[in-house]
Amino acid sequence: DAMVIQNPRYQVTQFGKPVTLSCSQTLNHNVMYWYQQKSSQAPKLLFHYYDKDFNNEADTPDNFQSRRPNTSFCFLDIRSPGLGDAAMYLCATSRRPGTETYNEQFFGPGTRLTVL
Amino acid sequence: AQTVTQSQPEMSVQEAETVTLSCTYDTSESDYYLFWYKQPPSRQMILVIRQEAYKQQNATENRFSVNFQKAAKSFSLKISDSQLGDAAMYFCAYRSINYGGATNKLIFGTGTLLAVQP
Protein backbone atom coordinates (compact mmCIF):
# COMPACT_ATOMS: atom_id res chain seq x y z
CA ASP A 1 0.00 0.00 0.00
CA ALA A 2 1.15 3.52 -0.76
CA MET A 3 2.02 5.26 2.44
CA VAL A 4 4.03 7.73 4.49
CA ILE A 5 6.75 6.12 6.61
CA GLN A 6 8.63 7.70 9.47
CA ASN A 7 11.78 6.37 11.06
CA PRO A 8 12.48 5.89 13.81
CA ARG A 9 9.17 5.79 15.65
CA TYR A 10 10.91 6.69 18.90
CA GLN A 11 14.10 8.69 19.17
CA VAL A 12 16.03 9.59 22.29
CA THR A 13 18.77 12.19 22.13
CA GLN A 14 20.82 14.21 24.55
CA PHE A 15 20.53 17.90 25.14
CA GLY A 16 22.50 19.65 22.39
CA LYS A 17 23.23 16.52 20.36
CA PRO A 18 22.13 16.83 16.73
CA VAL A 19 19.40 14.49 15.63
CA THR A 20 17.82 13.64 12.27
CA LEU A 21 14.32 12.32 11.72
CA SER A 22 13.39 10.62 8.47
CA CYS A 23 10.25 10.56 6.36
CA SER A 24 9.64 8.66 3.15
CA GLN A 25 6.61 8.32 0.91
CA THR A 26 5.46 6.00 -1.82
CA LEU A 27 2.61 8.27 -2.91
CA ASN A 28 4.76 10.33 -5.30
CA HIS A 29 3.31 13.51 -3.84
CA ASN A 30 4.81 16.88 -4.64
CA VAL A 31 4.43 18.43 -1.21
CA MET A 32 5.93 17.20 2.05
CA TYR A 33 5.29 18.76 5.45
CA TRP A 34 6.81 18.60 8.92
CA TYR A 35 4.59 19.27 11.92
CA GLN A 36 5.57 19.48 15.58
CA GLN A 37 3.01 18.20 18.06
CA LYS A 38 3.73 18.80 21.74
CA SER A 39 1.80 17.02 24.44
CA SER A 40 -1.84 18.16 24.61
CA GLN A 41 -1.26 20.72 21.87
CA ALA A 42 -2.31 21.07 18.26
CA PRO A 43 0.10 19.98 15.53
CA LYS A 44 2.02 23.00 14.32
CA LEU A 45 3.52 23.32 10.85
CA LEU A 46 7.28 23.86 10.89
CA PHE A 47 7.94 23.96 7.15
CA HIS A 48 7.10 22.26 3.90
CA TYR A 49 8.65 21.41 0.56
CA TYR A 50 6.83 21.94 -2.69
CA ASP A 51 8.98 19.78 -4.91
CA LYS A 52 12.45 21.23 -4.21
CA ASP A 53 11.19 24.59 -3.00
CA PHE A 54 11.60 24.96 0.76
CA ASN A 55 9.03 27.04 2.65
CA ASN A 56 9.72 27.90 6.27
CA GLU A 57 7.04 29.07 8.67
CA ALA A 58 7.86 32.48 10.10
CA ASP A 59 8.01 31.28 13.69
CA THR A 60 10.02 28.09 13.14
CA PRO A 61 13.27 28.33 15.13
CA ASP A 62 16.57 28.30 13.24
CA ASN A 63 17.47 25.19 15.20
CA PHE A 64 15.20 23.25 12.85
CA GLN A 65 16.34 22.49 9.32
CA SER A 66 15.08 20.23 6.57
CA ARG A 67 16.40 18.45 3.51
CA ARG A 68 14.63 16.82 0.62
CA PRO A 69 17.14 14.99 -1.57
CA ASN A 70 14.46 13.53 -3.84
CA THR A 71 10.70 13.20 -4.19
CA SER A 72 10.45 10.26 -1.82
CA PHE A 73 12.51 11.40 1.15
CA CYS A 74 12.47 14.33 3.52
CA PHE A 75 14.57 14.82 6.65
CA LEU A 76 14.13 16.97 9.73
CA ASP A 77 17.39 18.03 11.36
CA ILE A 78 17.46 19.48 14.84
CA ARG A 79 20.89 21.01 15.25
CA SER A 80 20.97 21.45 19.01
CA PRO A 81 17.93 19.90 20.66
CA GLY A 82 16.67 21.51 23.82
CA LEU A 83 14.30 20.11 26.41
CA GLY A 84 11.53 22.15 24.82
CA ASP A 85 11.94 20.30 21.54
CA ALA A 86 10.65 17.06 22.98
CA ALA A 87 7.53 16.33 20.96
CA MET A 88 5.91 14.14 18.34
CA TYR A 89 7.08 15.07 14.85
CA LEU A 90 4.61 14.35 12.09
CA CYS A 91 5.40 14.11 8.40
CA ALA A 92 2.64 14.56 5.86
CA THR A 93 2.33 14.68 2.08
CA SER A 94 -0.12 16.02 -0.46
CA ARG A 95 -0.46 16.38 -4.18
CA ARG A 96 0.42 19.53 -6.07
CA PRO A 97 -2.09 22.29 -5.21
CA GLY A 98 -4.82 22.54 -7.78
CA THR A 99 -4.71 18.84 -8.61
CA GLU A 100 -7.89 18.15 -6.71
CA THR A 101 -10.38 20.06 -4.63
CA TYR A 102 -9.33 19.13 -1.14
CA ASN A 103 -5.66 18.27 -1.63
CA GLU A 104 -5.86 15.89 1.29
CA GLN A 105 -2.82 15.53 3.50
CA PHE A 106 -1.64 12.00 4.29
CA PHE A 107 0.20 11.60 7.56
CA GLY A 108 2.89 9.27 8.78
CA PRO A 109 2.72 7.66 12.24
CA GLY A 110 5.10 10.22 13.72
CA THR A 111 8.42 10.10 15.55
CA ARG A 112 8.34 10.74 19.29
CA LEU A 113 11.48 12.61 20.29
CA THR A 114 12.74 12.55 23.86
CA VAL A 115 15.51 14.92 24.90
CA LEU A 116 17.51 13.96 28.00
CA ALA B 1 -5.06 34.83 11.40
CA GLN B 2 -7.33 31.84 11.55
CA THR B 3 -7.80 29.90 14.78
CA VAL B 4 -9.49 26.62 15.64
CA THR B 5 -10.85 25.86 19.10
CA GLN B 6 -11.89 22.51 20.55
CA SER B 7 -13.30 23.13 24.00
CA GLN B 8 -13.64 19.49 25.05
CA PRO B 9 -10.24 18.01 25.95
CA GLU B 10 -11.83 14.63 26.72
CA MET B 11 -15.10 12.89 25.96
CA SER B 12 -16.50 9.48 26.75
CA VAL B 13 -19.26 7.48 25.07
CA GLN B 14 -20.80 4.07 25.55
CA GLU B 15 -20.42 1.59 22.75
CA ALA B 16 -23.33 1.87 20.26
CA GLU B 17 -24.27 5.32 21.52
CA THR B 18 -23.90 8.67 19.77
CA VAL B 19 -21.41 11.37 20.66
CA THR B 20 -20.84 14.90 19.35
CA LEU B 21 -17.47 16.62 19.37
CA SER B 22 -17.41 20.40 19.20
CA CYS B 23 -15.25 22.70 17.13
CA THR B 24 -15.38 26.42 16.54
CA TYR B 25 -13.13 28.51 14.37
CA ASP B 26 -12.41 32.08 13.57
CA THR B 27 -11.73 33.45 10.11
CA SER B 28 -12.44 36.47 7.97
CA GLU B 29 -12.48 34.38 4.80
CA SER B 30 -15.71 33.49 3.07
CA ASP B 31 -14.61 30.21 1.58
CA TYR B 32 -12.42 27.53 3.11
CA TYR B 33 -12.26 23.85 3.99
CA LEU B 34 -12.86 22.16 7.31
CA PHE B 35 -11.69 18.71 8.34
CA TRP B 36 -11.92 16.21 11.14
CA TYR B 37 -8.88 13.99 11.61
CA LYS B 38 -8.63 10.92 13.82
CA GLN B 39 -5.35 9.98 15.53
CA PRO B 40 -5.50 6.54 17.20
CA PRO B 41 -2.89 5.78 19.88
CA SER B 42 0.54 5.24 18.26
CA ARG B 43 -0.94 5.32 14.77
CA GLN B 44 -1.06 7.87 12.02
CA MET B 45 -3.58 10.60 11.67
CA ILE B 46 -6.28 9.83 9.13
CA LEU B 47 -8.96 11.97 7.57
CA VAL B 48 -12.46 11.26 8.85
CA ILE B 49 -14.59 13.80 7.05
CA ARG B 50 -14.30 17.10 5.21
CA GLN B 51 -16.53 20.02 4.31
CA GLU B 52 -16.29 22.89 1.88
CA ALA B 53 -17.61 26.10 3.38
CA TYR B 54 -19.67 27.09 0.34
CA LYS B 55 -21.63 23.84 0.51
CA GLN B 56 -24.66 24.18 2.75
CA GLN B 57 -25.27 20.46 2.92
CA ASN B 58 -23.59 18.78 5.85
CA ALA B 59 -21.02 16.13 4.94
CA THR B 60 -21.65 12.51 5.89
CA GLU B 61 -19.35 9.49 5.82
CA ASN B 62 -21.03 6.34 7.06
CA ARG B 63 -21.39 6.73 10.87
CA PHE B 64 -19.70 10.13 10.84
CA SER B 65 -21.53 13.36 10.07
CA VAL B 66 -20.98 17.03 10.69
CA ASN B 67 -23.15 19.92 11.71
CA PHE B 68 -21.70 22.90 9.87
CA GLN B 69 -23.03 26.27 10.98
CA LYS B 70 -21.19 28.83 8.91
CA ALA B 71 -22.66 31.93 10.52
CA ALA B 72 -21.80 30.62 13.96
CA LYS B 73 -18.41 29.34 12.75
CA SER B 74 -19.14 25.97 14.24
CA PHE B 75 -18.21 22.55 12.85
CA SER B 76 -19.18 19.68 15.14
CA LEU B 77 -18.62 15.98 14.48
CA LYS B 78 -21.28 13.41 15.30
CA ILE B 79 -20.31 9.77 15.64
CA SER B 80 -23.27 7.39 15.59
CA ASP B 81 -23.26 3.79 16.81
CA SER B 82 -19.88 4.30 18.47
CA GLN B 83 -17.42 1.42 18.23
CA LEU B 84 -14.38 0.54 20.30
CA GLY B 85 -12.21 1.35 17.29
CA ASP B 86 -13.44 4.94 17.37
CA ALA B 87 -11.38 5.60 20.49
CA ALA B 88 -8.78 8.15 19.47
CA MET B 89 -7.76 11.78 19.55
CA TYR B 90 -9.89 13.81 17.15
CA PHE B 91 -8.60 17.01 15.62
CA CYS B 92 -10.60 19.67 13.89
CA ALA B 93 -8.65 21.51 11.18
CA TYR B 94 -9.08 24.52 8.92
CA ARG B 95 -7.55 25.20 5.55
CA SER B 96 -7.85 28.29 3.43
CA ILE B 97 -8.93 27.86 -0.16
CA ASN B 98 -5.75 29.35 -1.47
CA TYR B 99 -2.42 30.10 0.16
CA GLY B 100 -1.00 31.43 -3.06
CA GLY B 101 -1.04 27.96 -4.54
CA ALA B 102 2.05 26.91 -2.67
CA THR B 103 0.69 24.93 0.20
CA ASN B 104 -2.27 23.33 1.86
CA LYS B 105 -1.44 24.52 5.37
CA LEU B 106 -3.72 23.03 8.00
CA ILE B 107 -4.54 24.87 11.19
CA PHE B 108 -5.45 22.41 13.91
CA GLY B 109 -7.39 22.61 17.14
CA THR B 110 -5.93 21.11 20.31
CA GLY B 111 -7.90 17.90 19.96
CA THR B 112 -10.54 15.93 21.85
CA LEU B 113 -9.60 12.57 23.32
CA LEU B 114 -12.54 10.20 22.85
CA ALA B 115 -12.90 7.12 25.02
CA VAL B 116 -15.39 4.41 24.09
CA GLN B 117 -16.70 2.33 26.99
CA PRO B 118 -17.75 -1.27 26.28
Side-chain angles (χ1 to χ4, degrees), chain B residues 16-61:
Chain B
E17 296 295 308
T18 296
V19 64
T20 298
L21 308 184
S22 301
C23 173
T24 58
Y25 58 93
D26 189 29
T27 184
S28 58
E29 298 177 325
S30 59
D31 202 7
Y32 42 86
Y33 301 124
L34 295 166
F35 305 87
W36 278 98
Y37 278 88
K38 170 185 177 182
Q39 188 178 37
S42 302
R43 298 182 64 184
Q44 65 254 58
M45 200 175 311
I46 57 174
L47 181 65
V48 175
I49 198 166
R50 55 197 182 190
Q51 174 88 38
E52 291 183 59
Y54 72 84
K55 290 186 177 178
Q56 293 186 345
Q57 186 173 7
N58 290 324
T60 300
E61 288 286 343

Side-chain angles (χ1 to χ4, degrees), chain B residues 47-110:
Chain B
L47 181 65
V48 175
I49 198 166
R50 55 197 182 190
Q51 174 88 38
E52 291 183 59
Y54 72 84
K55 290 186 177 178
Q56 293 186 345
Q57 186 173 7
N58 290 324
T60 300
E61 288 286 343
N62 300 314
R63 297 182 295 107
F64 298 87
S65 61
V66 299
N67 183 4
F68 174 50
Q69 302 289 329
K70 190 173 183 180
K73 297 179 181 174
S74 171
F75 183 61
S76 60
L77 174 69
K78 185 171 82 171
I79 306 174
S80 304
D81 186 24
S82 296
Q83 300 175 1
L84 295 178
D86 294 333
M89 181 72 86
Y90 286 82
F91 289 97
C92 179
Y94 172 103
R95 180 166 77 80
S96 180
I97 285 290
N98 186 6
Y99 281 108
T103 184
N104 302 313
K105 178 178 178 176
L106 290 171
I107 299 171
F108 287 92
T110 51

Side-chain angles (χ1 to χ4, degrees), chain A residues 63-111:
Chain A
N63 198 27
F64 291 86
Q65 305 284 318
S66 186
R67 296 171 283 135
R68 189 179 185 185
N70 53 52
T71 300
S72 301
F73 285 87
C74 194
F75 300 99
L76 170 62
D77 300 309
I78 308 177
R79 295 192 296 186
S80 182
L83 298 179
D85 296 328
M88 176 76 84
Y89 290 88
L90 302 173
C91 176
T93 74
S94 71
R95 291 186 178 88
R96 174 174 53 84
T99 308
E100 59 183 36
T101 301
Y102 287 101
N103 279 110
E104 179 181 345
Q105 290 191 24
F106 295 83
F107 285 83
T111 294

Side-chain angles (χ1 to χ4, degrees), chain A residues 9 13-14 35 37-38 40-41 43 53 60-61 64 73 75 79-81 89 92 99-100 102 116:
Chain A
R9 294 291 307 276
T13 190
Q14 291 181 330
Y35 289 87
Q37 184 183 13
K38 294 186 177 181
S40 303
Q41 295 186 21
D53 292 334
T60 297
F64 291 86
F73 285 87
F75 300 99
R79 295 192 296 186
S80 182
Y89 290 88
T99 308
E100 59 183 36
Y102 287 101
L116 301 178

